[in-house]
Amino acid sequence: LGDILKLNNITNVQLRSRPRQSQGKLKSASRGCCYDSYIMGASDMADGSLDMVSVDGRAREQCLKEAVRLVKPEGGVLVLDNSVRERYKASMRENIPESWIKHEA
């Protein structure tokens, strides 16, 4: 993806990648321990500072909470890959404000 962004001279996108750790507290439901740095990979960014956040990969339930914090509350977009999966429903209810428009496809 980084190469595609460079090739098309897209400079207003920041990609962040964090490897799984051997120790930590935050887990992925499907892959186990440990995803602390992965989940908190944008903890240095301000609340409501991003126009769009995409959650895809491991530990989505945990990443969703952090993503909601980062998305602009008015006009921001949050994409949760595979949001129709049953295991994400509780996290969506707990973390996504009721006032947000939701579309599942």
Side-chain angles (χ1 to χ4, degrees):
L1 184 56
D3 291 338
I4 293 170
L5 295 172
K6 285 179 188 175
L7 180 66
N8 291 286
N9 199 30
I10 299 171
T11 59
N12 64 341
V13 174
Q14 183 182 57
L15 297 178
R16 293 183 173 203
S17 178
R18 301 289 188 273
R20 188 173 117 175
Q21 301 164 248
S22 60
Q23 295 182 351
K25 295 180 180 181
L26 301 175
K27 301 179 180 191
S28 167
S30 63
R31 301 289 178 173
C33 196
C34 296
Y35 288 89
D36 299 55
S37 67
Y38 181 87
I39 293 163
M40 302 308 294
S43 61
D44 60 318
M45 301 180 87
D47 293 2
S49 62
L50 300 177
D51 293 313
M52 184 188 141
V53 176
S54 176
V55 177
D56 187 10
R58 302 290 172 225
R60 290 183 202 166
E61 298 95 325
Q62 297 281 347
C63 290
L64 180 61
K65 184 175 183 178
E66 183 67 1
V68 168
R69 179 189 73 78
L70 294 167
V71 173
K72 287 182 178 177
E74 300 293 328
V77 175
L78 171 64
V79 177
L80 174 62
D81 189 43
N82 301 116
S83 64
V84 296
R85 289 183 182 168
E86 192 60 38
R87 69 176 183 233
Y88 301 141
K89 298 296 181 188
S91 183
M92 289 170 61
R93 280 191 306 275
E94 292 169 15
N95 295 297
I96 298 175
E98 288 187 27
S99 62
W100 286 17
I101 298 170
K102 297 168 190 74
H103 173 74
E104 295 182 6

